[in-house]
């Protein structure tokens, strides 16, 4: 594979992984390659990172793909397997016991050089699993199970501290250093496994599964607990960026309607030619917002993040009220007071709010109870925002109740975290509800931010 092919494939893989790389930036990266020594792999990495990576959150995905397209070593289809080299002979199963390998790993975890070479040799020795004739599978788990780097902590601490008092700053620093080196070794093993799979199966195939999308493009319905914690930390920076853009748009946007009378009167001094136009003063309008959100387990992460973002932007609205439901509805505005801790608010909402009767989502009953108990919350100045997947467990949909609420509101919107291709499958009533309240797909932070900006 030529350097040009690798460059084109690498840039394409970055785009497929969700990193925004324009044509001009790809050309900038190609020009940067003319200014460096291509034999210096880290200089090559730095040149690509400088021209293509825009946010710190994109760097892990970039590094993973760079290691696939520009590996530090090649085997398989591109060269001899490590057993033909001196490292493999040195670590041959007949001459090197597991204890000796763990001793060598201990030295590396304390800062010795050669971790990447050692990781490659260990993958060659322990990571290969037989597959179909002429093929083989590679896994990182057998390598880590055989060497168990996490079990070396106590032994290494005893060696580093050498009689010093335990529990002090020295132990804390040593634990941190050993822990970081352990993670480096695990990442080196994973990177070499990915490289070998890419050589056997094709880089493009492994690249599609090796990199998770950037945080802002993760599907709300597929986020893990760790992802949700990171999303919560992103709420206020995202809210600040959106608020800044909204302020600029309001300042530079529509100047108001033409004041025809003033314009005609002024034109009399220029022979009836309206050289100068006058506009009526623009009336500032901040909408009132009522949020009705499905808080069932299937869409809870989406509802929680949307509520947090909306309340972080509450200064952009005249008033914000929130209501949650599973099969009945309760007002949850009280949990989102200014200054409230995010995690505590979510915990209290789950524990104290009266949103569940029988435990199965029922949109129809929730709409009827909302209209009965809180119908006066929706008025001619209100934007009604409904959050949910429109899956009602085959219960009556209460379409007329929803239509009445929609007519009461100034605007009504429905955000659905499911992809459009899954609407109207199973118990989904997306089309029925979407015919009353305009429904749009909202699967990630990018789509949500675009909608909130448009709404405000």
């Amino acid at each position: 594979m030529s350097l040009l092919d690798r460059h084109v494939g690498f840039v394409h893989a970055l785009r497929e992984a969700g990193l925004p790389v324009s044509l001009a930036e790809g050309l900038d990266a190609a020009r940067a390659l003319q200014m460096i020594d291509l034999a210096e792999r880290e200089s090559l990495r730095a040149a690509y990172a400088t021209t293509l990576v825009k946010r710190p959150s994109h760097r892990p995905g970039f590094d993973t793909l760079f290691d696939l397209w520009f590996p530090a070593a090649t085997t398989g289809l591109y060269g001899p397997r490590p057993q033909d080299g001196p490292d493999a002979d040195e670590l041959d199963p007949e001459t090197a016991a597991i204890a000796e390998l763990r001793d060598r790993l201990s030295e590396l975890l304390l800062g010795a050089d050669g971790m990447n070479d050692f990781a490659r040799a260990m993958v060659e020795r322990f990571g290969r699993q037989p597959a179909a004739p002429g093929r083989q599978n590679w896994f990182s788990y057998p390598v880590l199970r055989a060497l168990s780097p996490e079990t070396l902590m106590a032994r290494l601490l005893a060696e580093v501290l050498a009689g010093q008092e335990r529990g002090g700053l020295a132990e804390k620093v040593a634990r941190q250093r050993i822990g970081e080196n352990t993670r480096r070794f695990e990442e080196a093993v994973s990177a070499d496994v990915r490289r070998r799979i890419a050589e056997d199966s094709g880089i493009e195939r492994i690249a599609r599964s090796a990199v998770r999308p950037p945080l802002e493009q993760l599907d709300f319905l597929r986020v893990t607990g760790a992802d949700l914690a990171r999303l919560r930390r992103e709420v206020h920076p995202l809210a600040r960026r959106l608020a800044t853009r909204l302020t600029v748009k309001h300042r530079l946007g529509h100047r108001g309607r033409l004041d025809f009378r003033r314009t005609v009167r002024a034109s009399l001094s220029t022979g009836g030619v309206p050289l100068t136009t006058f506009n009526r003063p623009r009336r500032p309008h901040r909408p009132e917002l009522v949020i009705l959100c499905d808080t069932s387990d299937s869409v809870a992460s989406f509802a929680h993040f949307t509520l947090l973002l909306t309340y972080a932007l509450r200064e952009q609205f005249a008033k914000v009220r929130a209501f949650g439901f599973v099969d009945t509805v309760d007002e949850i505005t009280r949990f989102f007071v200014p200054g409230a801790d995010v995690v505590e608010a979510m915990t209290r909402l789950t524990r104290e709010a009266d949103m569940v009767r029988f435990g199965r989502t029922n949109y129809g009953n929730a709409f009827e109870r909302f209209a009965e108990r809180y119908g006066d919350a929706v008025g001619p100045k209100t934007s009604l925002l409904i959050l949910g997947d429109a899956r009602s467990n085959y219960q009556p949909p209460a379409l007329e109740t929803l239509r009445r609420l929609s007519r009461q509101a100034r605007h009504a919107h429905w955000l659905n975290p499911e992809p459009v291709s899954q609407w109207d499958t199973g118990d989904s009533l997306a089309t029925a509800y979407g015919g009353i309240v305009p429904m749009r797909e909202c699967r990630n932070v990018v789509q949500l931010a675009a909608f909130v900006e448009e709404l405000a």
Side-chain angles (χ1 to χ4, degrees), residues 170-212:
E171 179 178 350
K172 182 177 180 180
V173 172
R175 280 185 181 276
Q176 183 177 356
R177 178 160 61 94
I178 296 169
E180 289 175 353
N181 288 336
T182 301
R183 286 190 291 274
R184 279 184 54 216
F185 174 71
E186 293 172 351
E187 290 168 1
V189 169
S190 299
D192 195 63
V193 167
R194 285 194 297 267
R195 174 183 66 82
R196 293 170 185 269
I197 296 174
E199 290 177 357
D200 291 342
S201 304
I203 301 176
E204 294 83 356
R205 181 178 176 182
I206 187 63
R208 284 192 290 270
S209 58
V211 181
R212 297 193 73 198

Side-chain angles (χ1 to χ4, degrees), residues 317-352:
F317 303 95
K319 182 191 296 184
V320 179
R321 294 182 69 181
F323 302 84
F325 69 88
V326 176
D327 54 9
T328 189
V329 67
D330 188 19
E331 182 164 8
I332 56 177
T333 308
R334 61 187 182 277
F335 299 110
F336 296 92
V337 296
D341 179 76
V342 171
V343 177
E344 181 183 350
M346 293 304 169
T347 304
R348 288 186 57 211
L349 185 153
T350 304
R351 185 176 61 247
E352 300 176 19

